[in-house]
Structures are given as structure tokens and as C-alpha cells.
Amino acid sequence: MEYNPIGDGKIAPQSTTAPKGPKNKAHGVSRGLVTRPEPAPKGRKKFRPPAAQEIQIIPVPIEAEVQPGDSLPRLLLDALKHQKQRLHRGDILVIKHKIVSKAEGQFVDLQKIIPSAASRRWARSYDLDARVIELAIAQSRRIVRRKRGVLITETRHGLICANSAVDVSNVDGGRHAVLLPEDPDHSAAKIHAALKKTVHLSVPVIISDTFGRPWREGLTEVAIGVAGMKALHDYRGERDPHHYELQASVEADADQLACAAGLVCGKLARTPACIIRGFAYRPGRGTARDLLRPAANDLFR
């Protein structure tokens, strides 16, 4: 769905065919998890300015339509070979979730969805597809907000987005809807492991989706699956060049990389993946779940 104020417009799959100065408590609240229960790391005192670095975003177009059962690592490596490109040590692979969902058979035939009376009334009022509304509700853990034709839900993954990320764009013209991967972190881990076995490189994998944002117009990418790198970079306890001890700076590295990838992996670009080269990521067992703010720390829940 093209209009998306909080998330990308997307029950179970039914089809497997593709169709330190003074401390300011408010400082940095919008940039990190100031209410995280764990203390800031100890022993970080001396500021070491990071070296300036050039970052490249290399598109990986895939012309063929991804089908259920396709090997994404093989498709991606073949696409790179066709471009006379290859993975390098330190590269990060960002993949749009839709080709992951397609390869995993996460389709639903919309003709088989029977909307409830409530979904039909809601859809009629705002010129929406009642089947997509019904599917979004079935895919949700809870309804966060429903107003003026916008349905915001929390998915079973814990993601807050429009229509539970049920999507009919770039599928088969509206006959089927595609869902999120069953477990995006697991999907990323499988691709990461397959690439490591094939090319003998540990390449972090980020699976991304397009979300809207509260208080801001327009769509950006977010990481919904992560493997091979830390999703967050905790700067708390470090000192800036003015010797101020950072209190709340926790950067969402995986989300920022997903956003960077969105510059080349647009909806109409037929480029469902890209390589990000030159970013000094931190290897580790990160997951996209690390990016979800716990309810106890969420001022808006």
C-alpha cells in the first residue's frame, strides 16, 4: 500500500506459489534508550575520534521473479557474478523482506479471505480492501490504533506498523498478499550461514522493510531481521571531544544501514538487495529484536 503513516501497508499463508558537564536527564532522550535498565559500560573515559570513512552502497538487482523454494544466497551470488562483483571482507548485505517472504512461500490468496462484517464496514468507509484489513487483524498481536482509515497494529514479531505489514504491491497485481517472514532473524541467520559456507566470509545480513514514522511524513527502511552483527551501538560511558560523558546515546546501527540501503532498493527499482561496504560494524550475535523497546520503557504504550 502506498500510503503508510506508521508502517508499510502488508491467517497463515495459504498459497505456496508465487503469483559529564552538568547532567541533563532529557539530553539524548530521542536518540537512545535512556530508560534502559542496565547501567552504562564502565571504564570508557578517553575519547578516540573515529576515522573518517567512505561508505559505498552497491545495488544487487535480481531480474527474475523470486519463487517459493528459491535459494536466495544462490540468486544473490549469481546476480553479483553477473555484475562482475563479489563479496569482500567487511561487507554487509541488506535484503528487502519481500524476496525473503516470497522464497519462504509467505503468500495468501486474497480470494480465500472472508472479511468479517466489521472489516467490510471499515473498508467501505475508507475505500479499502476488506480482505487486506481482515488479514492484517489476523496477523496482529493487538490493534494499536484504528482511525481515519489507518490501521496500526503490533505484529506477533513485536513490530508496530500499518496493516501488520501485509502488502499487495510488487506481488502479482493484487491477487495475493505477501506477509512478513515467519521469523526474520532466523531467515537472516540462514542466509548468513549459507554465505559463510559458500564464500568463506562472515557477511552480516540485514532484512529490511519499509515503515512510516510517528510525527514525520514519508517512508524509511527499518531492520526486521539481523544476523552476524550487533544491531545497536552503545556509546554510553564514552566521552565526547569536550569530555562530556555520554548518558543516552545508543545508535540503531542496523536501522541506519537499512535506511542507507533504501536509497538504492526502491519500490520500483527491481533491486531487492544491496551491499554496504566500508561501514565499521561490530560483529556479534545481534538480532532485530534488540531494536524493540520493552513495554516498561515505552512512554507511548
Side-chain angles (χ1 to χ4, degrees):
M1 314 240 330
E2 294 304 322
Y3 174 68
N4 200 341
I6 291 280
D8 193 13
K10 301 250 172 230
I11 330 171
Q14 299 172 346
S15 172
T16 56
T17 57
K20 216 153 204 206
K23 288 187 179 180
N24 181 348
K25 295 296 184 183
H27 177 75
V29 166
S30 65
R31 301 197 60 211
L33 309 183
V34 73
T35 53
R36 283 166 63 110
E38 65 272 18
K42 301 297 183 183
R44 297 180 177 178
K45 298 299 180 183
K46 187 177 180 180
F47 174 74
R48 296 181 179 85
Q53 56 190 357
E54 178 181 86
I55 295 177
Q56 293 178 282
I57 307 172
I58 303 167
V60 184
I62 296 178
E63 293 297 328
E65 189 69 26
V66 175
Q67 303 291 332
D70 280 350
S71 168
L72 286 184
R74 176 47 52 199
L75 287 175
L76 292 164
L77 291 173
D78 286 348
L80 285 170
K81 185 178 180 180
H82 182 72
Q83 292 178 262
K84 296 181 171 52
Q85 294 274 3
R86 63 183 180 86
L87 290 167
H88 294 181
R89 189 176 304 279
D91 283 352
I92 300 164
L93 181 62
V94 183
I95 308 171
K96 295 283 286 184
H97 97 275
K98 197 162 291 181
I99 64 167
V100 179
S101 294
K102 288 180 177 181
E104 293 180 357
Q106 288 288 92
F107 294 100
V108 175
D109 185 345
L110 289 176
Q111 290 185 333
K112 296 182 179 180
I113 303 298
I114 302 175
S116 66
S119 292
R120 290 197 302 271
R121 285 195 301 271
W122 172 263
R124 233 180 358 254
S125 299
Y126 298 101
D127 194 24
L128 303 171
D129 189 329
R131 301 168 301 175
V132 173
I133 300 302
E134 188 70 22
L135 187 54
I137 293 171
Q139 289 291 305
S140 71
R141 178 185 295 171
R142 67 185 178 103
I143 295 175
V144 177
R145 189 76 180 270
R146 177 159 42 181
K147 190 173 182 179
R148 296 198 292 270
V150 179
L151 175 64
I152 308 302
T153 62
E154 180 180 1
T155 73
R156 65 180 179 276
H157 314 83
L159 302 168
I160 307 295
C161 57
N163 297 335
S164 300
V166 173
D167 200 352
V168 294
S169 66
N170 288 314
V171 185
D172 58 3
R175 297 188 303 276
H176 288 76
V178 67
L179 311 179
L180 292 176
E182 188 72 26
D183 184 343
D185 280 324
H186 180 65
S187 300
K190 284 176 60 179
I191 297 169
H192 173 69
L195 291 173
K196 189 172 185 178
K197 182 178 180 180
T198 304
V199 300
H200 309 293
L201 292 174
S202 182
V203 178
V205 173
I206 295 172
I207 297 174
S208 70
D209 194 8
T210 308
F211 277 26
R213 299 148 305 154
W215 307 296
R216 297 186 70 83
E217 295 290 350
L219 305 173
T220 61
E221 296 294 307
V222 299
I224 65 168
V226 176
M229 64 172 284
K230 299 290 183 65
L232 294 165
H233 193 152
D234 190 348
Y235 288 95
R236 294 172 304 156
E238 298 277 4
R239 292 188 181 274
D240 69 13
H242 304 282
H243 306 292
Y244 177 81
E245 184 177 327
L246 302 180
Q247 304 295 317
S249 294
V250 181
E251 299 283 343
D253 280 358
D255 278 344
Q256 294 187 105
L257 290 164
C259 282
L263 297 173
V264 299
C265 299
K267 269 189 174 292
L268 304 179
R270 298 191 69 85
T271 302
C274 73
I275 295 168
I276 297 182
R277 182 169 293 162
F279 180 78
Y281 70 89
R282 296 185 306 144
R285 294 181 178 273
T287 70
R289 291 187 298 275
D290 300 334
L291 297 160
L292 301 179
R293 181 164 293 181
N297 298 340
D298 191 340
L299 300 182
F300 301 97
R301 195 174 305 198

